[in-house]
Amino acid sequence: MFEKNKLSTCVAVAVWGLVTAMPLYAQEAEQEVESVQPQEQESQQEREPADEVKSDDEGLVVRPVRQSVETIEVTGSLIPRTSFDGPDPMTVIDEEEMKAKGLVTVADVIDSLSENTGYREGESGNLLSGFTVGASEANLRGLGAGRTLVLVNGRRIADYPLPFGGEQNGVDLGTIPSSALSRVEVLSGSASAIYGSDAVGGVINLITKRDMEQTMLTSTTGVYEEGYGFVNQTSFITGTAFDRGSVTFSMEKLTTESVTADEVSFLDDRKFVTSGVNVIRRDINSISGNGPASPAGYDCKANGLIASETYGEDGATACNFDASKGIAMAGEYDRTSMFVDGRYQITDNISGFATVLASKQDVVSSVPANSWQGAVYNEDFTKVAGVYRSFAHDLGYTDSTYDQEMWTVMLGLQGDLELGDTTWNWDLGYSKARFKMAQRFAALREEVVKDWVLDGADYVELAPNVYQVSDSFYEQDLVNNVFRDAQPDRDSLLGQATTFADSGAEAFSAKVVGELSDFGILYNPVTMAIVADWASQTTGIDPDERSLNLSGNGWLNVGAIEAGGSRDRMAVGAEFLIPVLEDLEVTLATRFDRYDDDSAIGGRNTSTVKFVYQPFDMLKLRGHWAQTFRAPDMFNIYGESTGFAGVTDLLGADCFDGENFTGACPSYQVVSVRRGSDDLAEEKGKDIGFGVVFTPFNRVNMSADWYQVRLDDLVLTESAYGLMSNEWQCTTGALPSGSQFCQDVYERVVRDETGRVERLIIEPQNQEYREVEGVDLRLSAGFDSKQFGNFGVGMSYVNTLKHEWQQFAGDEVFDLRVGQPGRSLPATRSSLAFSWSNPLSGFKSVGAGLFIQRQGSVDNFIGTKKLEPNYTVNLTANYRVDARLSVGVAIQNLTNTMPMTDETNPRWPYYWSHLQSPLGRSVNFSFSYFMSN
């Protein structure tokens, strides 16, 4: 096995040697061939297939004239290939397969991948977090959204402006219109030697349409079985081709209705009950004076609350609140997207292209209005009242809106260059992308709420939310103040918090591809590609002044995320395709990235070696060794926040009985401090893989691939809930309390003298490592029958054999296959797809598809047993009526599968919301109408 430095040096020497040798070993003139690029490139130098070498009567070696073979740009390589079946495991999904599987959006396509094994933040995965509402990310291999590189036509686009999970940057798949897509290419392996940072868990390349010569109107309308979640997606696409080029244009409109928890029958028996309105008095010198206080005759139910257990004198009660009724399980979307692609042959040897992708999206979500809690003492500190006042039951649920605009422009020139007797292809590309967002939500004014609770009192503020009042106010006015209706004061209590965020990406690239020589020993000439990149990224998050205020005049229990910074990158790289033998092909690639930002990284060199060996026509062996790296997230460098986080105190009284969580865990707001770090080092690691491809018959393909990805100096930031879970594990003995890991946890969970959590300190840090090892199995087969039609079957199975994480050297190694509390991940994911189509008379045809997905079992919250696997089934059918009209129906979640309830989970809604959805079966009807051919 090569060491990193030795491999980098060898490849660098090879680059220099081959470049300087190029004029000396120029090939004899060969027949010029045209390279047809279906998407990103107009033309590239074709790599001809190996031809049989013969000798004439005089013993001279004769190579026959090669035939023109179509080549395509393949994700994970700078050199065009003749097929996708190369040294890297690749999944390609075109729009016909999307329809057959019942996949409507780009996010649906990525979620359908068995390799997409990680925690996903979008939609119901972040019900109460408030992060990235309406956004959808990819998470290949479970390594994190920021470690999956998402490209459009091989080029980077702007990240979603807010960090996923409040932690890491990534691309929002929800902004990409599916009508613009020709296919989705997924490379399930590292590709840093080709693309630089982020290509750790894999690469997703969204390839847009081009050269359209028809006009088509398509519409899909659907709704969930229980009547909620109406969705409509309508698209118009047209195109024309002329002598020297083509233009393709599309528009798409997507609208969905929101779904709230009270609409979903599955959630009827699981309420998110929190403290509603209560005053708990305590006589410091007497036990008899302790208990709830409420106005005489106060009826919790009549005021939209739930009566807790009644105790104390005069029927005094505390009221709870079911906060789950108006929580959005799926947001309201209104998205308009536009796509334009133009191609023009400027001269016989030079062509140009321009691609524009833009979308405007408005997302609306809802959560309960916030709550206030504090402590009020009497004059001589002999009595204290704990006050909790939720405003959701009288002020209702508040909407959060996310107004988003995203656009990407890609420009390029491509052409041929004669060097001696060989033709080299060159490519100059420029891209610029921007993502802007305005987040707005209703929030309570902190100082107004305080004055509202203490209305009429002369008070002394002893500490945040801790006050001293007169005896008369304490005894006569406090309780009535807290329990009165807040609706008449709505306008003064509520305001609108606003955060503006934007991100940008700009890049310029230059590439040349051509053949060198066979050097007298190789089966075919070496193909070389050289690339130079310059890129810049920006990030900015600007909250309003109230969000930044921590002196008592801010938004109640609402903090602020802010960030601002930029990053420049320069890179050079090279790739070599070496046909060593007729049946053995080796690829070498190396790249150096130089970064200019406020972090501790400067530059990183990565290299890779790949091979494909085909000893028989039906058998192919492939493998790779690759270095990989990831620069720290922009947010982890420049982002910081100080605010409030809702925590469930797992160590609170009566929360855990030694075997199960009782549901009585205290929940409250605490101050949460999150700060960026400019001394973060880059993550670096390696990816090793080996695979076998078996093709026993035409249109029958089977493959098995083993992979191992390791990342050192992993950059992670825990969530507030994750930090609290780790504290519970360290304290209960699930983790060694004396470890460096647990000591770090104890230092960052700050408790006051009473044991109540006072502050959480969260920050990104370089941690020891994460390592994932697994096996991918794939099968595809097709069969055509003149009598019964065309049949197809596809299978994908991913088994994560190992997923380890170590935070600090010497600490216990976590097994992430069973997950952390609240984030368990299945070790296996698989899918099975069947398709059938049958041409009828004329232009008529009929078809159907069945798509089955399986999530493997996961551990329950406390890790005492496995929960059952989860299955979902999509069924589709389509009918082409004539040359112009096609209709179809898709039933998603045909079996109406619901999430597996975890009775040990202390968090509502008591199932793994990041993996499963309770929305049930949905039906979508669609039609496509060709206006011209």
Side-chain angles (χ1 to χ4, degrees):
M1 185 67 68
F2 283 98
E3 294 180 3
K4 293 189 297 185
N5 294 336
K6 290 182 178 179
L7 178 62
S8 302
T9 302
C10 290
V11 175
V13 170
V15 173
W16 178 252
L18 289 173
V19 170
T20 55
M22 184 170 57
L24 302 176
Y25 290 96
Q27 291 292 289
E28 294 182 0
E30 296 177 342
Q31 180 179 351
E32 182 177 348
V33 294
E34 181 182 0
S35 173
V36 181
Q37 304 303 320
Q39 300 299 337
E40 302 93 329
Q41 303 286 340
E42 274 294 314
S43 66
Q44 288 287 353
Q45 179 67 31
E46 180 177 343
R47 181 176 63 86
E48 293 90 345
D51 295 305
E52 183 180 357
V53 179
K54 299 179 180 179
S55 299
D56 63 8
D57 293 338
E58 298 179 4
L60 298 175
V61 175
V62 178
R63 296 184 187 270
V65 175
R66 295 168 182 157
Q67 301 299 315
S68 176
V69 179
E70 180 179 320
T71 60
I72 55 178
E73 286 285 325
V74 176
T75 301
S77 177
L78 302 172
I79 300 173
R81 310 278 176 143
T82 56
S83 72
F84 294 104
D85 196 12
D88 297 304
M90 180 82 71
T91 300
V92 181
I93 302 176
D94 61 22
E95 60 178 333
E96 290 303 317
E97 185 175 352
M98 288 176 60
K99 294 176 182 177
K101 291 181 176 180
L103 309 175
V104 179
T105 65
V106 176
D108 289 341
V109 175
I110 304 307
D111 283 345
S112 73
L113 298 171
S114 298
E115 302 94 322
N116 199 48
T117 58
Y119 179 89
R120 299 188 296 280
E121 179 73 17
E123 294 188 356
S124 60
N126 64 341
L127 296 175
L128 300 175
S129 72
F131 294 116
T132 52
V133 173
S136 301
E137 79 271 39
N139 193 347
L140 299 182
R141 303 301 188 203
L143 291 170
R147 298 177 185 90
T148 296
L149 180 62
V150 178
L151 307 171
V152 174
N153 294 342
R155 303 179 192 276
R156 294 177 185 248
I157 60 176
D159 287 337
Y160 188 76
L162 295 180
F164 285 100
E167 178 182 346
Q168 55 186 340
N169 300 115
V171 169
D172 176 17
L173 300 171
T175 59
I176 310 297
S178 58
S179 62
L181 291 184
S182 172
R183 65 181 186 270
V184 179
E185 298 177 8
V186 181
L187 174 68
S188 52
S190 302
S192 291
I194 301 297
Y195 300 112
S197 176
D198 305 334
V200 178
V203 181
I204 296 172
N205 197 2
L206 307 173
I207 309 300
T208 58
K209 294 175 180 175
R210 56 169 288 194
D211 298 334
M212 292 283 294
E213 293 189 79
Q214 60 187 13
T215 300
M216 182 172 63
L217 177 67
T218 300
S219 183
T220 298
T221 301
V223 69
Y224 285 95
E225 184 179 74
E226 295 190 16
Y228 46 69
F230 177 83
V231 59
N232 179 262
Q233 184 181 49
T234 301
S235 64
F236 170 82
I237 186 166
T238 187
T240 183
F242 43 91
D243 287 344
R244 301 187 70 86
S246 67
V247 175
T248 301
F249 170 80
S250 78
M251 289 285 293
E252 180 179 286
K253 180 74 171 181
L254 172 68
T255 58
T256 69
E257 292 181 349
S258 64
V259 180
T260 55
D262 58 330
E263 296 180 280
V264 182
S265 59
F266 174 76
L267 300 174
D268 287 346
D269 62 347
R270 56 193 71 211
K271 306 299 183 183
F272 183 39
V273 178
T274 65
S275 295
V277 183
N278 59 71
V279 176
I280 306 299
R281 285 177 166 171
R282 185 162 63 93
D283 190 332
I284 297 176
N285 299 317
S286 173
I287 298 178
S288 61
N290 297 341
S294 60
Y298 188 86
D299 188 338
C300 295
K301 185 176 181 181
N303 287 278
L305 297 164
I306 302 171
S308 64
E309 181 181 356
T310 300
Y311 58 98
E313 298 179 359
D314 302 323
T317 185
C319 299
N320 293 329
F321 177 65
D322 178 11
S324 58
K325 291 182 178 180
I327 293 176
M329 306 299 294
E332 176 185 332
Y333 293 78
D334 187 345
R335 185 185 73 203
T336 302
S337 304
M338 181 271 291
F339 164 71
V340 180
D341 182 89
R343 309 274 159 166
Y344 188 73
Q345 192 72 35
I346 302 171
T347 68
D348 291 343
N349 296 322
I350 300 176
S351 62
F353 72 88
T355 303
V356 178
L357 194 67
S359 69
K360 186 180 187 307
Q361 177 170 275
D362 298 326
V363 182
V364 181
S365 185
S366 65
V367 294
N370 227 319
S371 57
W372 183 91
Q373 57 185 319
V376 181
Y377 286 89
N378 68 345
E379 289 183 23
D380 57 4
F381 295 101
T382 58
K383 297 178 181 180
V384 62
V387 177
Y388 190 99
R389 203 340 172 146
S390 169
F391 287 88
H393 70 284
D394 43 10
L395 297 187
Y397 292 78
T398 61
D399 286 340
S400 300
T401 63
Y402 301 78
D403 302 330
Q404 306 170 0
E405 296 179 5
M406 186 276 289
W407 55 263
T408 300
V409 176
M410 304 175 190
L411 306 172
L413 291 174
Q414 300 157 344
D416 301 331
L417 176 67
E418 299 292 336
L419 287 178
D421 294 327
T422 62
T423 300
W424 287 63
N425 300 118
W426 57 266
D427 178 303
L428 298 176
Y430 171 80
S431 65
K432 187 168 185 175
R434 189 78 180 269
F435 200 137
K436 300 175 65 177
M437 184 180 70
Q439 177 193 44
R440 299 179 176 90
F441 58 93
L444 292 165
R445 295 182 175 92
E446 188 176 14
E447 75 282 5
V448 177
V449 172
K450 176 188 66 176
D451 291 340
W452 187 88
V453 171
L454 300 176
D455 185 32
D458 291 327
Y459 60 85
V460 176
E461 186 170 1
L462 305 173
N465 296 334
V466 180
Y467 305 94
Q468 180 191 22
V469 299
S470 66
D471 286 340
S472 61
F473 180 85
Y474 182 91
E475 297 291 347
Q476 299 172 20
D477 300 319
L478 177 62
V479 172
N480 290 331
N481 274 9
V482 173
F483 278 82
R484 77 184 190 271
D485 185 7
Q487 184 61 38
D489 303 308
R490 179 185 181 90
D491 291 343
S492 62
L493 287 167
L494 280 176
Q496 187 178 72
T498 305
T499 297
F500 295 98
D502 68 88
S503 64
E506 186 176 14
F508 176 82
S509 64
K511 183 177 72 170
V512 292
V513 181
E515 286 188 351
L516 297 176
S517 167
D518 62 9
F519 302 100
I521 58 173
L522 300 175
Y523 183 72
N524 266 331
V526 173
T527 302
M528 180 177 73
I530 301 176
V531 66
D533 286 340
W534 171 86
S536 177
Q537 287 178 275
T538 60
T539 184
I541 304 175
D542 298 309
D544 58 36
E545 292 184 5
R546 270 192 173 272
S547 298
L548 296 171
N549 187 288
L550 294 175
S551 62
N553 293 291
W555 300 113
L556 181 64
N557 294 336
V558 175
I561 297 178
E562 56 181 328
S566 63
R567 164 185 285 164
D568 292 331
R569 188 197 74 227
M570 293 175 287
V572 292
E575 183 179 10
F576 302 90
L577 182 63
I578 307 172
V580 180
L581 303 170
E582 179 181 3
D583 48 17
L584 176 62
E585 181 181 277
V586 175
T587 302
L588 302 177
T590 189
R591 178 185 173 103
F592 179 78
D593 288 83
R594 174 72 183 178
Y595 281 84
D596 183 10
D597 56 27
D598 288 351
S599 72
I601 68 171
R604 189 71 185 171
N605 179 236
T606 50
S607 300
T608 186
V609 178
K610 305 175 184 179
F611 76 89
V612 176
Y613 176 55
Q614 190 167 5
F616 313 105
D617 289 341
M618 66 177 60
L619 182 66
K620 182 181 294 184
L621 306 178
R622 61 190 179 193
H624 67 269
W625 181 93
Q627 296 172 309
T628 188
F629 91 104
R630 179 174 181 259
D633 272 300
M634 297 275 281
F635 183 72
N636 282 330
I637 300 172
Y638 299 109
E640 57 184 58
S641 64
T642 302
F644 304 88
V647 299
T648 299
D649 190 350
L650 303 180
L651 297 179
D654 301 323
C655 176
F656 185 69
D657 63 10
E659 295 183 2
N660 295 289
F661 287 94
T662 64
C665 305
S667 296
Y668 45 87
Q669 297 285 330
V670 302
V671 175
S672 175
V673 178
R674 197 258 188 219
R675 53 203 179 206
S677 175
D678 59 6
D679 61 355
L680 293 171
E682 73 273 21
E683 302 173 350
K684 55 261 188 187
K686 63 181 180 180
D687 180 0
I688 305 172
F690 180 79
V692 179
V693 181
F694 183 52
T695 311
F697 309 104
N698 184 34
R699 295 184 62 194
V700 177
N701 185 281
M702 295 177 284
S703 67
D705 290 275
W706 168 85
Y707 65 90
Q708 184 184 73
V709 182
R710 179 185 172 103
L711 270 180
D712 295 317
D713 293 323
L714 190 74
V715 178
L716 285 179
T717 304
E718 284 183 309
S719 65
Y721 186 74
L723 190 59
M724 297 296 294
S725 298
N726 289 334
E727 184 198 33
W728 173 74
Q729 289 182 301
C730 289
T731 304
T732 58
L735 297 173
S737 60
S739 65
Q740 186 179 355
F741 172 85
C742 287
Q743 293 305 308
D744 175 71
V745 168
Y746 292 145
E747 289 176 2
R748 294 190 290 119
V749 179
V750 181
R751 293 179 177 268
D752 61 21
E753 295 178 354
T754 68
R756 183 185 177 92
V757 179
E758 186 175 69
R759 179 181 296 262
L760 298 178
I761 301 174
I762 299 171
E763 61 182 9
Q765 53 189 199
N766 283 112
Q767 301 181 6
E768 193 65 18
Y769 78 92
R770 179 176 286 183
E771 185 172 304
V772 181
E773 179 183 354
V775 175
D776 296 347
L777 303 178
R778 295 179 178 86
L779 165 69
S780 63
F783 171 72
D784 297 340
S785 167
K786 292 183 178 180
Q787 182 177 1
F788 299 107
N790 308 320
F791 297 86
V793 62
M795 186 275 291
S796 175
Y797 171 81
V798 172
N799 189 339
T800 305
L801 304 175
K802 180 172 69 174
H803 193 165
E804 294 181 345
W805 166 52
Q806 187 180 43
Q807 185 166 4
F808 299 112
D811 280 351
E812 179 183 349
V813 176
F814 287 84
D815 183 359
L816 294 183
R817 290 183 305 165
V818 298
Q820 299 170 271
R823 289 195 176 189
S824 185
L825 300 175
T828 62
R829 288 195 73 190
S830 56
S831 66
L832 184 62
F834 299 94
S835 63
W836 168 74
S837 62
N838 192 11
L840 305 176
S841 60
F843 289 96
K844 296 181 179 180
S845 64
V846 65
L850 186 69
F851 182 53
I852 305 170
Q853 290 182 274
R854 177 186 183 273
Q855 290 179 356
S857 60
V858 295
D859 277 23
N860 64 1
F861 184 89
I862 60 176
T864 56
K865 72 173 184 178
K866 293 283 187 182
L867 302 179
E868 294 295 323
N870 183 270
Y871 293 83
T872 56
V873 180
N874 292 352
L875 177 65
T876 64
N878 62 83
Y879 175 57
R880 182 158 189 171
V881 180
D882 53 33
R884 294 186 179 276
L885 179 63
S886 296
V887 295
V889 61
I891 304 175
Q892 294 181 320
N893 195 4
L894 176 68
T895 58
N896 204 33
T897 300
M898 291 296 167
M900 179 66 63
T901 299
D902 181 2
E903 296 176 352
T904 69
N905 194 333
R907 302 184 73 193
W908 183 85
Y910 316 115
Y911 63 84
W912 300 111
S913 60
H914 62 284
L915 295 176
Q916 302 162 8
S917 169
L919 302 185
R921 184 187 296 119
S922 66
V923 180
N924 299 286
F925 298 94
S926 64
F927 77 87
S928 297
Y929 185 74
F930 292 85
M931 298 179 181
S932 62
N933 293 310

